[in-house]
Amino acid sequence: GTVTHAHPECGNGVEWFLEVRRGKTRQRLAKGFAQGGKPVKVGPFENVPVRKGDLVSLIIGPRDGNHSCDLTDVEFDLATADNRHWNLTRDVADDILASNPHADQYGNKVWHFYTEPISGGDLGPVIPAGSLLARWETAADPAERKSLANELQSLLLGAAPSANSPDAVLYREARSLGGPLLAASSSTGKNQKSLSSSSPWALDAALFGKAPDGSEIDSESLCVQAPAVIEVRLPSDLAAGAELVTAATLHPKLGAEGSVQARLATRRPEPTTGLIAGETRIVNTGGQWTSKNRQISQSSPILVNDESAARERIGSDFDEFREWFPPALCYTKIVPVDEVITLTLFYREDDRLARLMLDDQEKARLDRLWDEFHYVSRDALMQADAFEQLWQYATQDADPKVFEPMRRPIAEHAAGFRQRLVDTEPKHVDALLEFASKAYRRPLESDEKAELRSLYRKLREEEIPHEEALRLALARVLVAPAFLYRLEKAAPGAEPAAVSDWELATRLSYFLWSSLPDAELREQAASGHLHETKVLKDQVRRMLRHPKVRRLATEFGCTWLHVHDFDSLDEKSNRHFPTFAALRGAIYEETILFFTDLFQNDRSVLNLLDADYTFLNESLAEHYGIPGVNGPEWRRVDGVRKYSRGGILALSSTLGKQSGASRTSPILRGNWVSEVLLGEKLPRPPKGVPPLPEDEAAETLTVRQLVEKHSTDPGCANCHVRIDGYGFALEGYDAIGRARTTDLGGRPIETHAKLFDGTFVEGADGLREYLLTKKRDAVLQQFCRKLLGYSLARGTLISDRPLIAQMQHDLEAHDYHFSAVVEAIVASKQFREIRGKDFASQD
């Protein structure tokens, strides 16, 4: 025959079986799957013995239990040795809709269509095709049948075959407790308790028929003192496909005032106290709690005796517990939020929370939050509108009297809220003026207040609603020059004068936080004491400890190193560096955290070069090859110098930014050290200089050799001799900052270098030592110059040189702590004064 899945566009196909059924035994000749519209051939099978009453069945079922889109085309042929022939299509096609049985061409009614359970039905054992028993059934010769019977006996009495052969399957099915040989003897029923106490199965018979106090009970019952665990062991073959059902009640005398929870589980439970979580309810033992075998029963009732004190007490406790949970929380459908009318939008039930857990201050805060919530949501007005709709519906086909008591309270509540809206409008205007004061970073002038109030009043006179008028007035604040620019008032005359305390607060806040002053800084400015040296120094130290100093790390530190917005860098070759795109955010975060820690914890400025720590998460640690860092959390990791890390020279951000897309660049890195760290200005490269090859893996020369060859040009040598040595010393890092000993072409890396002043250094460690010793003053001077320019929001001038020298002196005098240089800036005339109106600038 053939089996074809006739709906190949949908579904997962069908499974099929070919069986010969005789009584309660089944010989399975073949099985398989049909899917995708391709016909599956069934058979042929020769010399299959069939007797009167046998069924030759071609069974079609859903594959994996999935009935979706199952439509099957079946063809089935049978023939006998005397040339009689049956064909399903020919015999049945004309009367397919008739009832069973269908006649064949000889007039015999032999064709049947029938259904049976997919699983769980008692269909009898299956004789595996090709097994000894299947061969015994088909054997015609008596001597062969006897020989096969002897082999079958030896198989069933011997050890289990190891291979998954037809005889191995037959052995397992025949010898299982549910199999044909042992099924009759495995049904023990109530006699399970009659097993001896030495048996590992079921329960000891001695446990039945008596209570813990020795009194007799029903001989079929078991009584224990709670808490107790009763463990019933059953053979897996016996338990497979079966249900274990048990019932529990309280002893009428010993448990008269008791209460217990019962549950049925497939493993020994852990010891516990208190109620078992799950569906907990009270069950009177006048009924009977029954549970079926589950992994752990979700139903864990409390058993009590009816009309007992225990039942009243526990029932009362349950009632009180239920009161803690609003019905709308437990049964969301009782609030028709998707209907036309919803009278109650927000229902408050926190009285028990307030009574049991909150103090007076917390209660007041909770009340204020609810009040603000009702105000913003305007639910009083929405409730009035909804009630009016409900009233209109009710008057059409029902008696509206039931709603009458609600009408007046809802209307009064809405009217009171409307009046409150009118009463609070002036407060909103006052809040707008307060916001404008914060936005302008100073108290408003009287004419500025009058202008904003006048603008709001004119908008209302034009019948613009309050909220819209307030938004337009707010927009006026946000486009005012006082908000968009940091304006300062110059003193009359040509001489410089001190800025006001408000202007000083703005300078200080934008210097350290890149934002407007906070409440404490505004308070000090309003008091007129901010300019005092002690007050100003205290504010500097407070602000440096604040988390907002991260903005100084980002805006000054990262900008100074030329790595600002490194997390958006997309110039690296994905073919050469496929991990970079996912890592650039972490690389940038390391730099920000390094500077934030330096500023916030007032560390030595020399740590910029000499730090033996950095900040890592797991992904960046893997990038650097540093073990022992697990998880996405950021943390400080010490002792990183041995992994070629520590300080700004070894940051992937600086190394990656000063590299090409697919190779390193000693020229860029050397120029970065010269200009950014040392402050040495170099002329622009001449036009027409040919670029170096981009792909170092495709070249025969290393990047260093290419640069050295390029630097022999007399027009280039004067600059390259000043910068190349710095870049060669950093060649131990690839284009995304990983430490390396060979380049992309597999060639060894050389990191020894001769610098412009004749000093020889070896790698990044040698360059770091050189900058910390011979070039320390130049590095510190450049850092001070850059920080001063950032704080003043302008480039430094010749007149600033004494201040820069003072900043260096203060650093050395205070063990190079960062706060020393900040305090020197804030105390300076440059930071605290402004030129007079009549000052004539000179070149």
Side-chain angles (χ1 to χ4, degrees), residues 331-346:
Y331 309 99
T332 57
K333 292 299 183 183
I334 69 172
V335 179
V337 295
D338 57 346
E339 300 292 339
V340 176
I341 300 170
T342 301
L343 284 184
T344 301
L345 292 179
F346 312 111

Side-chain angles (χ1 to χ4, degrees), residues 380-640:
L381 303 182
M382 298 173 68
Q383 185 182 51
D385 292 341
F387 180 80
E388 186 60 31
Q389 293 183 58
L390 181 62
W391 180 269
Q392 296 296 334
Y393 292 149
T395 57
Q396 294 178 11
D397 54 8
D399 185 358
K401 291 182 179 180
V402 67
F403 301 106
E404 185 62 37
M406 304 168 60
R407 188 183 187 96
R408 183 174 179 182
I410 290 177
E412 291 178 348
H413 184 46
F417 184 76
R418 291 189 185 93
Q419 184 60 45
R420 185 184 180 190
L421 290 177
V422 174
D423 295 340
T424 54
E425 287 179 358
K427 296 181 180 180
H428 297 163
V429 178
D430 293 339
L432 172 68
L433 298 180
E434 182 181 351
F435 172 80
S437 176
K438 294 178 182 179
Y440 295 173
R441 302 170 291 279
R442 56 170 174 76
L444 295 184
E445 302 289 345
S446 57
D447 58 337
E448 291 174 324
K449 292 181 181 180
E451 178 193 359
L452 289 174
R453 289 186 183 278
S454 175
L455 173 62
Y456 169 78
R457 188 166 49 254
K458 289 178 180 178
L459 292 171
R460 294 305 311 274
E461 290 172 355
E462 295 174 4
E463 298 185 354
I464 294 178
H466 166 70
E467 288 189 3
E468 186 176 348
L470 205 65
R471 289 191 183 97
L472 292 172
L474 179 62
R476 173 66 182 87
V477 172
L478 297 179
V479 299
F483 172 69
L484 297 176
Y485 302 100
R486 289 162 52 185
L487 302 177
E488 295 177 343
K489 188 176 182 179
E495 294 300 318
V499 296
S500 70
D501 277 23
W502 288 103
E503 293 166 345
L504 183 59
T506 297
R507 285 190 177 190
L508 186 60
S509 182
Y510 277 92
F511 172 27
L512 300 181
W513 287 351
S514 299
S515 183
L516 49 77
D518 66 350
E520 182 170 341
L521 203 54
R522 291 197 304 272
E523 182 180 345
Q524 291 296 337
S527 70
H529 297 300
L530 181 60
H531 66 279
E532 297 174 4
T533 301
K534 182 181 183 306
V535 175
L536 193 57
K537 185 177 292 188
D538 290 343
Q539 286 301 310
V540 166
R541 292 176 178 175
R542 176 185 74 87
M543 295 173 71
L544 286 177
R545 291 192 299 268
H546 198 280
K548 289 182 181 179
V549 83
R550 175 185 171 95
R551 298 171 184 170
L552 179 64
T554 303
E555 301 304 321
F556 166 68
C558 294
T559 302
W560 170 44
L561 297 186
H562 295 185
V563 296
H564 195 274
D565 289 337
F566 185 88
D567 54 341
S568 61
L569 181 67
D570 59 357
E571 299 171 357
K572 297 298 177 183
S573 167
N574 189 58
R575 178 169 65 89
H576 292 86
F577 307 109
T579 62
F580 175 74
L583 277 173
R584 58 190 176 186
I587 292 172
Y588 189 41
E589 182 68 14
E590 176 196 19
T591 308
I592 296 173
L593 292 177
F594 180 82
F595 274 109
T596 302
D597 172 77
L598 182 79
F599 302 155
Q600 199 169 33
N601 294 296
D602 197 17
R603 303 197 189 281
S604 169
V605 172
L606 298 180
N607 282 10
L608 289 169
L609 295 171
D610 201 30
D612 190 19
Y613 62 86
T614 191
F615 293 83
L616 302 172
N617 63 4
E618 184 175 358
S619 62
L620 190 58
E622 290 179 357
H623 176 69
Y624 286 157
I626 298 177
V629 180
N630 300 313
E633 302 82 13
W634 286 93
R635 72 219 72 178
R636 170 173 162 154
V637 179
D638 294 306
V640 297

Side-chain angles (χ1 to χ4, degrees), residues 123 175 222 236 380 548 561 715-716 721 745:
L123 300 178
R175 293 196 36 143
L222 178 67
S236 59
K548 289 182 181 179
L561 297 186
C716 302
V721 72

Side-chain angles (χ1 to χ4, degrees), residues 346 348 364-380 417 420-421 424 428:
F346 312 111
R348 183 175 178 180
R365 181 169 182 265
L366 182 61
D367 290 339
R368 188 185 76 251
L369 291 172
W370 267 106
D371 182 61
E372 292 175 357
F373 181 63
H374 286 305
Y375 185 89
V376 173
S377 66
R378 301 192 173 195
D379 60 331
F417 184 76
R420 185 184 180 190
L421 290 177
T424 54
H428 297 163

